[in-house]
Amino acid sequence: IAAWTEHKAGDALEALSQMTQASIYVMRDGKEVKVDVPNVVRGDIVILGTGDVVPADMRLFEADDIKVSEMALTGEPDDVAKTCKLKFKKP
């Protein structure tokens, strides 16, 4: 069972690596520039468009009717709506 589970996890990682795109637009120093995805750094403002693959963990601070396919991560078949509302943790 463990070998099968590890094999399936490897398949999932391979599928995720094939979903990445080579470059993305970011805001740097007030200018929109195209950078290779591995060169996206903390502080970059990523500009997403229809069909773009999210290149990293990120926080939305402006969004209009955005939905994300999380099938490769969670198996959820339906797109998941995202918002830029803050979620406060309860003390």
Side-chain angles (χ1 to χ4, degrees):
I1 294 175
W4 181 81
T5 303
E6 187 173 330
H7 173 71
K8 289 309 238 179
D11 289 347
L13 287 173
E14 178 65 26
L16 283 173
S17 69
Q18 291 179 4
M19 289 178 58
T20 61
Q21 60 192 53
S23 60
I24 194 83
Y25 285 94
V26 299
M27 291 292 292
R28 284 190 181 164
D29 300 322
K31 298 176 186 170
E32 187 175 319
V33 294
K34 189 173 187 177
V35 299
D36 292 337
V37 169
N39 296 326
V40 174
V41 296
R42 180 179 291 175
D44 280 342
I45 298 173
V46 178
I47 301 167
L48 295 174
T50 303
D52 282 346
V53 175
V54 178
D57 284 343
M58 60 182 60
R59 176 179 293 163
L60 293 174
F61 63 87
E62 184 177 321
D64 185 33
D65 191 34
I66 187 170
K67 292 185 178 181
V68 177
S69 172
E70 296 182 349
M71 183 178 284
L73 297 173
T74 65
E76 177 66 37
D78 299 323
D79 291 346
V80 178
K82 300 293 182 179
T83 66
C84 51
K85 295 178 184 174
L86 292 177
K87 294 181 180 178
F88 295 102
K89 293 182 180 179
K90 294 180 182 179

